[in-house]
């Protein structure tokens, strides 16, 4: 028998799903790393997707010891550089297909949430003109344990008044899919990062429609129930 899904909400990661800020994070970290003589490449930057600012710095340092006050100064400097890039963001930077997806979800009565590790999430949503869509916004200030812990998604689901198995998480990062699966959410991977362990993957945001999400997740649930 095909299990029927009871989906009541969609929860979106921000960076890499609603807009693509990974390049700005890269350029800001790169400037900071260059100033401190730390090797850091675009490929290194891929490992920073979805993880917190502090964990990003730890991954850039690759085990090199650093005093915590110095780490704080470096993170503040990187964030200043990042925020300067954010000033150029407009609604034209929303990824393709996202407004249509949000409109159709709203029209269907689904709850909508954002769950981003970023402490800049609210500012980015404002600049994109997307804030009004969301019933709950979770950011890097809301929980102590960030992705891959499920806490942020659980926090947002609570505010949307849904159980994890009634919510679909959209994520572009390995750490984000790990978090969604650990929390018992339906997990949809977006893009080309290592998100193949999600229940369903779309290469591009422009391919995502509600029908495809529901069909794909139903098929994934049917596969799981046969196993
Ligand atoms: C995530 C990004 O959304 O936010 C990470 O994918 C980033 O790359 C993290 O490190 C924290 O962002 P911020 O804006 O708080 O430094
Ligand atoms: Mg992301």
């Amino acid at each position: 028998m095909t299990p029927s899904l009871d989906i009541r909400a969609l929860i979106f990661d921000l960076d890499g799903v609603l807009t693509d800020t990974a390049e700005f994070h890269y350029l800001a970290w790169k400037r900071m790393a260059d100033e401190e003589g730390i090797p850091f490449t675009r490929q290194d930057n891929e490992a920073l997707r979805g993880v917190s600012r502090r964990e990003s710095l730890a991954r850039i340092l690759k085990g090199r010891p650093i005093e915590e006050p110095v780490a704080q100064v470096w993170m503040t400097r990187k964030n200043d550089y990042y925020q300067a890039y954010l000033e150029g963001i407009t609604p034209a930077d929303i990824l393709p297909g996202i407004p249509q997806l949000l409109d159709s979800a709203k029209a269907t009565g689904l709850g909508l949430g954002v769950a981003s590790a970023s402490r800049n999430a609210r500012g980015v949503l404002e600049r994109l003109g997307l804030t009004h869509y969301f019933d709950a916004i979770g950011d890097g200030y809301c929980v102590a344990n960030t992705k891959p812990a499920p806490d942020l998604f659980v926090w947002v689901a609570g505010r949307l008044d849904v159980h994890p198995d009634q919510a679909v998480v959209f994520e572009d990062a390995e750490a984000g899919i790990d978090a969604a699966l650990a929390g018992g959410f339906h997990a949809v991977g977006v893009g080309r990062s290592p998100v193949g362990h999600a229940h369903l993957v779309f290469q591009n945001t422009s391919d995502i429609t509600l029908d495809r999400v529901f069909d794909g997740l139903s098929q994934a649930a049917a596969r799981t129930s046969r196993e």
Side-chain angles (χ1 to χ4, degrees):
M1 202 179 84
T2 305
S4 63
L5 302 180
D6 176 22
I7 305 294
R8 300 183 187 190
L10 309 182
I11 302 177
F12 294 86
D13 173 47
L14 172 64
D15 296 327
V17 174
L18 301 180
T19 189
D20 193 4
T21 45
E23 181 68 11
F24 293 158
H25 279 295
Y26 168 70
L27 293 171
W29 280 125
K30 178 70 179 157
R31 185 170 165 193
M32 196 278 311
D34 284 352
E35 286 166 355
E36 300 302 333
I38 302 163
F40 178 59
T41 65
R42 257 175 219 286
Q43 202 183 341
D44 294 333
N45 190 58
E46 285 302 303
L48 311 188
R49 275 184 193 269
V51 300
S52 70
R53 196 179 303 170
R54 186 66 187 84
E55 177 61 21
S56 294
L57 180 59
R59 291 184 186 194
I60 290 168
L61 291 171
K62 297 184 179 121
R64 170 178 156 169
I66 184 176
E67 299 282 337
E68 192 53 30
V70 176
Q72 294 299 330
V73 169
W74 288 4
M75 287 190 292
T76 299
R77 192 170 357 130
K78 179 269 174 179
N79 195 50
D80 289 344
Y81 298 153
Y82 180 61
Q83 287 186 337
Y85 287 116
L86 295 184
E87 282 175 23
I89 286 189
T90 72
D93 294 300
I94 300 170
L95 284 170
I98 292 296
Q100 295 84 340
L101 180 63
L102 296 176
D103 282 334
S104 59
K106 270 272 181 238
T108 314
L110 291 166
L112 291 178
V114 166
S116 168
S118 175
R119 296 185 168 195
N120 293 291
R122 283 181 177 273
V124 173
L125 287 170
E126 279 297 313
R127 289 193 171 278
L128 294 172
L130 289 179
T131 309
H132 66 281
Y133 276 105
F134 296 103
D135 309 297
I137 296 173
D139 63 15
Y141 292 105
C142 294
V143 296
N145 296 323
T146 51
K147 304 166 189 177
D151 303 29
L152 187 58
F153 291 124
V154 172
W155 189 95
V156 172
R159 269 147 192 84
L160 294 172
D161 200 21
V162 297
H163 192 268
D165 70 6
Q166 296 171 322
V168 183
V169 165
F170 295 84
E171 256 293 349
D172 71 311
E174 184 175 21
I177 296 296
D178 291 344
L181 294 176
F185 293 86
H186 299 280
V188 174
V190 180
R192 290 176 172 76
S193 295
V195 290
H197 52 320
H199 295 115
L200 177 66
V201 176
F202 292 94
Q203 296 293 312
N204 300 296
T205 51
S206 54
D207 299 330
I208 310 174
T209 63
L210 276 188
D211 283 347
R212 286 178 185 160
V213 169
F214 290 143
D215 288 351
L217 290 177
S218 297
Q219 287 168 21
R223 277 197 303 275
T224 307
S225 75
R226 278 200 302 271
E227 281 167 12

